């Protein structure tokens, strides 16, 4: 696709560069010094890039299209990327114009989809306008102080395990270990957990909530360098556990949890805004017969099953 001068200008603006001056510049007229001294008109921040049947495509349209691209696509040279985006926007405009000419916008299903898209855009715009000013760096720092820096680190243990199908197998492994067998070798040869078995049964460091309750309850009661003397049953089978060490988990630096905190703040603020919006409108729910449901009525109970004979 051949780039127009406008498209090249667009590429230059988006890439943070400016177009070079023309090879030959006409000499400034000498008969009007005042005119030559006049300041240049400011550049249009949102120049026209193309038009399709009179419908205009501006730089802001191209920026929005670029923002929706995957990261790898944004690595293309600016002139190539903008050329592709301008071409795509022209194609879209052409299709939209033809669709309107043929009246597709009046088809009930299409009209419904268009309304849903408009409603979704409006909802997102409202939430963004309300939430964005609240999710500041200061708010993130405050949440970090409250939820991380001011709290004691959680207990962690470093353990490994051997998982087998039956209790008798697990008891046999415990006997072998008590008689000096190598835990890592047994894990590699006998464990049905092939993922950890390949590394000698090593599960690394974990918190109590990271594992199944039965497994964690048993492991966190053990002392370092001890082996469980009773097989631990879970839904996966029978475990033989060895605890290698214990520690208090260090508080993560703010850089490590920055994005996680930001996302949580966004979720919390969105929930507050939705709750506030609902409190300002009248909501009526209906039952299967189309009758309004009394919000203060006790929940209906299912009819009792007939007695079997």
């Amino acid at each position: 696709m051949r780039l127009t001068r406008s498209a090249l200008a667009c590429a230059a603006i988006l890439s943070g560069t400016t177009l070079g001056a023309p090879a030959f510049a006409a000499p400034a007229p000498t008969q009007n010094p005042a005119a030559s001294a006049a300041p240049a008109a400011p550049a249009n921040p949102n120049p026209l890039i193309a038009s399709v049947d009179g419908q205009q495509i501006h730089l802001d349209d191209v920026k929005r299209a670029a923002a929706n691209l995957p990261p790898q696509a944004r690595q293309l040279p600016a002139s190539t990327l903008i050329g592709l985006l301008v071409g795509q926007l022209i194609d879209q405009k052409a299709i939209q114009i033809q669709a309107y000419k043929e009246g597709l916008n009046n088809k009930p299903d299409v009209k419904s989809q268009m309304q849903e898209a408009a409603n979704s855009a409006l909802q997102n715009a409202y939430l963004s306008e309300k939430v964005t000013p609240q999710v500041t760096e200061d708010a993130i720092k405050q949440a970090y102080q409250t939820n991380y820096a001011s709290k004691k680190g959680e207990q962690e243990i470093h353990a490994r395990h051997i998982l087998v199908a039956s209790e008798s197998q697990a008891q046999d492994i415990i006997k072998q270990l008590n008689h000096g067998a190598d835990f890592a070798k047994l894990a590699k040869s006998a464990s049905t957990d092939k993922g950890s078995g390949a590394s000698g049964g090593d599960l690394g460091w974990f918190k109590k909530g990271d594992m199944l309750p039965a497994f964690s309850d048993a492991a966190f009661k053990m002392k370092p360098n001890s082996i469980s003397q009773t097989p631990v049953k879970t839904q996966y089978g029978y475990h033989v556990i060895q605890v290698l060490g214990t520690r208090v988990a260090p508080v993560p630096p703010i850089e490590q949890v920055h994005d996680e905190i930001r996302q949580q703040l966004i979720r919390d603020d969105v929930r507050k805004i939705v709750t506030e919006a609902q409190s300002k409108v009248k909501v009526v729910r209906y039952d299967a017969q189309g009758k309004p449901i009394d919000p203060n009525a006790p929940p209906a109970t299912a009819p009792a099953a007939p007695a079997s004979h």
Side-chain angles (χ1 to χ4, degrees):
M1 174 182 175
R2 184 173 178 272
L3 289 179
T4 63
R5 175 73 176 179
S6 294
L8 287 170
C10 174
I13 293 171
L14 286 181
S15 63
T17 62
T18 56
L19 291 173
F24 294 95
T30 57
Q31 68 275 20
N32 189 357
S36 63
N44 182 359
N46 187 28
L48 178 66
I49 305 302
S51 67
V52 184
D53 266 6
Q55 296 191 22
Q56 298 181 346
I57 298 172
H58 288 267
L59 175 60
D60 282 351
D61 299 314
V62 182
K63 287 181 178 179
R64 281 191 290 271
N68 292 325
L69 291 174
Q72 60 269 26
R74 297 178 201 169
Q75 305 305 313
L76 291 170
S79 58
T80 301
L81 177 60
I82 302 308
L84 293 172
L85 288 174
V86 172
Q88 185 181 66
L89 291 171
I90 289 172
D91 291 345
Q92 292 172 356
K93 282 287 185 187
I95 291 172
Q96 292 164 15
I97 289 169
Q98 295 307 312
Y100 272 104
K101 285 181 179 179
E102 296 180 18
L104 284 179
N105 57 302
N106 294 319
K107 291 184 64 175
D109 58 334
V110 176
K111 186 181 291 187
S112 176
Q113 292 174 35
M114 292 174 67
Q115 186 59 58
E116 287 177 7
N119 289 341
S120 179
L122 185 61
Q123 293 163 21
N124 290 337
Y126 180 82
L127 291 172
S128 178
E129 185 173 291
K130 298 295 183 181
V131 170
T132 302
Q134 300 183 52
V135 185
T136 63
E137 287 301 312
D138 286 342
I140 292 173
K141 290 176 182 177
Q142 180 59 49
Y144 175 78
Q145 289 297 323
T146 301
N147 299 313
Y148 291 89
S150 64
K151 290 187 176 181
K152 183 180 178 181
E154 193 173 348
Q155 187 75 17
E156 289 184 328
I157 64 171
H158 181 196
R160 53 186 179 179
H161 80 139
I162 300 171
L163 176 64
V164 291
S166 70
E167 185 175 12
S168 60
Q169 285 177 289
Q171 289 172 337
D172 180 62
I173 286 173
I174 292 172
K175 289 179 182 178
Q176 293 183 58
L177 292 170
N178 288 339
H179 286 86
D182 185 272
F183 194 103
K185 289 182 179 178
L186 278 177
K188 289 179 181 179
S189 63
S191 182
T192 58
D193 178 4
K194 299 304 179 184
S196 67
S199 57
D202 198 343
L203 298 171
W205 290 95
F206 57 88
K207 300 178 177 63
K208 193 167 186 178
D210 294 339
M211 298 294 181
L212 294 171
F215 187 97
S216 286
D217 288 345
F220 275 80
K221 291 176 182 176
M222 295 171 59
K223 295 180 179 180
N225 300 313
S226 64
I227 294 171
S228 58
Q229 295 302 299
T230 302
V232 178
K233 184 181 179 182
T234 70
Q235 65 198 66
Y236 298 105
Y238 292 84
H239 306 258
V240 177
I241 305 170
Q242 181 183 37
V243 172
L244 301 174
T246 64
R247 71 179 184 186
V248 175
V251 176
I254 189 170
E255 295 80 14
Q256 183 178 328
V257 293
H258 179 279
D259 291 346
E260 180 182 335
I261 294 173
R262 183 175 182 275
Q263 290 303 316
Q264 186 59 54
L265 289 177
I266 290 173
R267 286 191 292 269
D268 292 345
D269 288 337
V270 166
R271 187 66 261 165
K272 290 177 185 176
I273 291 166
V274 171
T275 301
E276 182 181 355
Q278 286 191 359
S279 71
K280 296 178 180 179
V281 296
K282 181 179 180 181
V283 178
V284 180
R285 299 178 186 273
Y286 297 85
D287 62 19
Q289 287 72 43
K291 294 180 180 180
I293 298 173
D294 183 355
N296 299 316
T301 56
S308 58
H309 298 286

